[in-house]
């Protein structure tokens, strides 16, 4: 009897110990999950605020008399020195190493080729975006940019193993229709200063830029996974700095080769709001794009390139509304339908992400239960 009682007492103690460990592990996992969601929320705010402010300031630059396309492109990448303090904050010695970090680091030649490719790609993409913003109303421009989500999903399918589900397919179709619909606007709804030819050029450039941006996000995610292989935020900030630095160098070459640098002084003097306003516009545009870059690459690092693009697409309704308020652009029926289709497409993708997250949590609970049962059986 005593032996049976002692055995029962031992089993109860072991069960209690396992329950305590389970409670502690759940508590710590919840803390980690909350921290993760805080980071995601912060990066999301960076993407939405940076993108909206930068786009509006870019349109304001042209509206007030700015003409240099190379200068408008340069400010999208020139703010990279703002990232240098963050790089020093996340030096390897100050970062707690994780087991998955003990991998072979890529050679400097590999890193050079990677950053060179992404930098040149970014410079070309920024120029295409600048041409689109210059030739089109900012509300139309921002709605067409929604197509980058469809392009990103397409490239992610081949490069990142992105699964295609009915909800994602529905999202891609709706976003494609949303941007294509804007081609059929009547001439009366276009900007008075923009000819039909320039409007078409702006549309083509914006669609091409969206396709390029979608590809660049997929390649960035692939680089984090296959080349950089690190869980440190220093890698994220390195990516931003070197990519933008190389892009800025190439854009500067274009600025001097085109001869536009000779007109900057006259452009500043003829700016409607004054030279100080001209400088402040360029400075804050540059800062806004860097804030956007931190949020964008941070979301790629934490989740995926497609999720980062979805959050960027979430800002679609913001810019057209701001354009109506500040630039007095018309929000006609075509734009409203395009906006609703884009929001519907975004919601469809978010719902799929919710289903995936729910499925992963269910699987994790089942695995935890099986592990606990195995531990109890072993202890007995």
């Amino acid at each position: 009897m005593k032996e049976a009682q002692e055995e029962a007492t031992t089993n109860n103690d072991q069960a209690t110990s396992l329950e305590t460990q389970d409670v502690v592990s759940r508590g710590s996992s919840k803390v980690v999950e909350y921290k993760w969601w805080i980071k995601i929320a912060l990066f999301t705010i960076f993407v939405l605020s940076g993108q909206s402010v930068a786009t509006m300031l870019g349109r304001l630059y042209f509206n007030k008399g700015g003409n240099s396309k190379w200068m408008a492109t340069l400010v999208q990448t020139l703010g990279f020195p703002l990232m240098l303090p963050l790089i020093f904050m996340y030096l390897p010695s100050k970062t707690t190493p994780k087991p998955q970090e003990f991998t072979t680091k890529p050679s400097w030649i590999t890193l050079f080729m990677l950053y060179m490719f992404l930098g040149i790609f970014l410079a070309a993409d920024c120029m295409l975006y600048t041409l689109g913003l210059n030739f089109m109303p900012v509300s139309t421009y921002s709605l067409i940019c929604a197509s980058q989500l469809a392009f990103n999903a397409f490239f992610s399918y081949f490069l990142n193993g992105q699964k295609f589900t009915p909800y994602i397919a529905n999202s891609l179709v709706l976003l494609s229709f949303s941007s294509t619909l804007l081609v059929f606007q009547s001439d009366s709804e276009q900007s008075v200063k923009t000819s039909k030819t320039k409007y078409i050029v702006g549309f083509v450039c914006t669609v091409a830029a969206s396709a390029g941006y979608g590809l660049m996000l997929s390649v960035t995610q692939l680089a984090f996974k296959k080349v950089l292989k690190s869980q440190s935020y220093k890698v994220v900030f390195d990516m931003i700095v070197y990519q933008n630095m190389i892009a800025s160098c190439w854009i500067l070459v274009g600025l001097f080769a085109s001869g536009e640098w000779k007109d900057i002084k006259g452009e500043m003097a003829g700016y409607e709001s004054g030279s100080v306003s001209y400088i402040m516009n360029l400075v804050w545009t540059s800062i806004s794009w860097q804030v956007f870059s931190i949020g964008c690459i941070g979301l790629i690092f934490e989740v995926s390139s497609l999720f980062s693009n979805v959050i960027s697409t979430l800002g679609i309704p913001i810019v057209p509304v701001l354009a109506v308020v500040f630039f007095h652009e018309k929000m006609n029926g075509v734009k409203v339908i395009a906006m609703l289709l884009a929001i519907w497409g975004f919601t469809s993708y978010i719902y799929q992400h919710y289903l995936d997250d729910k499925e992963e949590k269910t699987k994790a609970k089942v695995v935890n239960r099986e592990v606990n049962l195995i531990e109890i059986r072993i202890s007995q």
Side-chain angles (χ1 to χ4, degrees):
M1 283 291 292
K2 289 183 178 179
E3 291 180 356
Q5 289 178 352
E6 289 177 357
E7 185 177 352
T9 304
T10 302
N11 290 336
N12 289 333
D13 292 340
Q14 289 175 346
T16 304
S17 176
L18 285 173
E19 289 177 1
T20 304
Q21 291 176 1
D22 186 51
V23 170
V24 172
S25 63
R26 286 179 183 176
S28 60
S29 64
K30 284 184 178 180
V31 171
V32 172
E33 186 177 353
Y34 287 145
K35 288 182 177 179
W36 184 82
W37 277 111
I38 290 172
K39 286 189 288 187
I40 295 301
L42 188 62
F43 287 141
T44 299
I45 292 171
F46 284 173
V47 169
L48 296 179
S49 59
Q51 176 181 250
S52 301
V53 173
T55 304
M56 293 296 291
L57 288 175
R59 181 68 257 180
L60 184 65
Y61 168 79
F62 289 114
N63 284 356
K64 294 295 184 180
N67 295 311
S68 176
K69 298 176 183 62
W70 285 105
M71 179 59 73
T73 303
L74 182 62
V75 294
Q76 298 178 41
T77 60
L78 196 58
F80 67 88
L82 297 173
M83 301 296 104
L84 295 178
L86 295 175
I87 288 180
F88 290 114
M89 285 173 60
Y90 287 90
L91 289 173
S93 59
K94 296 183 179 180
T95 305
T96 304
K98 297 180 181 180
Q100 58 265 41
E101 285 190 17
F102 294 100
T103 54
T104 305
K105 292 185 178 180
S107 64
W108 69 270
I109 298 177
T110 303
L111 291 176
F112 175 79
M113 295 299 293
L114 172 65
Y115 292 137
M116 181 62 71
F117 169 77
L118 290 175
I120 295 174
F121 205 110
L122 178 62
D125 209 48
C126 287
M127 174 53 77
L128 289 172
Y129 273 127
T130 298
L131 293 173
L133 187 59
N134 185 28
F135 293 147
M136 304 184 72
V138 67
S139 54
T140 306
Y141 163 85
S142 62
L143 290 171
I144 294 175
C145 285
S147 63
Q148 67 192 29
L149 181 59
F151 288 115
N152 186 210
F154 174 77
F155 292 122
S156 293
Y157 175 79
F158 293 101
L159 297 178
N160 310 128
Q162 174 68 41
K163 294 188 299 181
F164 269 83
T165 64
Y167 289 110
I168 290 181
N170 178 61
S171 175
L172 302 185
V173 171
L174 289 171
L175 289 168
S176 299
F177 280 156
S178 172
S179 58
T180 305
L181 192 63
L182 296 170
V183 181
F184 303 103
Q185 292 190 99
S186 61
D187 292 343
S188 60
E189 295 297 339
Q190 296 177 30
S191 173
V192 177
K193 299 179 181 179
T194 305
S195 66
K196 183 70 174 179
T197 303
K198 287 185 177 180
Y199 183 88
I200 294 174
V201 170
F203 177 86
V204 172
C205 287
T206 306
V207 172
S210 299
Y213 183 73
L215 175 59
M216 189 168 62
L217 289 182
S218 298
V219 171
T220 301
Q221 182 182 347
L222 185 66
F224 276 133
K225 184 178 180 180
K226 300 294 185 180
V227 180
L228 301 174
K229 301 177 182 178
S230 175
Q231 298 296 316
S232 169
Y233 271 103
K234 182 180 181 298
V235 175
V236 176
F237 298 129
D238 282 345
M239 173 74 78
I240 296 172
V241 169
Y242 295 129
Q243 180 179 341
N244 282 269
M245 181 173 63
I246 292 171
S248 297
C249 291
W250 283 99
I251 295 170
L252 279 171
V253 170
L255 177 64
F256 284 97
S258 65
E260 284 190 3
W261 65 275
K262 299 176 183 177
D263 303 325
I264 292 176
K265 189 175 181 179
E267 183 180 286
M268 187 186 304
Y271 199 67
E272 288 183 17
S273 303
S275 57
V276 176
S277 178
Y278 177 87
I279 295 172
M280 293 303 295
N281 179 291
L282 296 180
V283 169
W284 284 107
T285 301
S286 184
I287 292 173
S288 299
W289 279 123
Q290 288 308 303
V291 170
F292 169 78
S293 296
I294 294 174
C296 178
I297 296 184
L299 288 176
I300 295 174
F301 182 77
E302 290 290 346
V303 189
S304 68
S305 63
L306 191 56
F307 183 81
S308 176
N309 214 336
V310 165
I311 296 301
S312 179
T313 307
L314 178 60
I316 286 173
I318 300 175
V319 175
V321 172
L322 292 176
V324 171
V325 174
F326 293 103
F327 298 148
H328 308 292
E329 292 186 1
K330 294 181 180 180
M331 183 59 70
N332 57 26
V334 175
K335 288 183 181 179
V336 171
I337 294 173
M339 182 188 296
L340 293 176
L341 286 174
I343 294 173
W344 185 5
F346 166 78
T347 305
S348 180
Y349 176 82
I350 284 295
Y351 184 68
Q352 179 61 54
H353 186 74
Y354 164 76
L355 293 178
D356 293 341
D357 186 58
K358 187 177 180 180
E359 184 180 354
E360 288 179 5
K361 287 182 178 179
T362 303
K363 289 181 180 178
K365 287 181 181 178
V366 172
V367 171
N368 287 334
R369 288 175 184 173
E370 291 178 352
V371 170
N372 289 337
L373 288 173
I374 292 171
E375 288 180 349
I376 291 171
R377 289 174 182 171
I378 292 174
S379 62
Q380 290 175 350

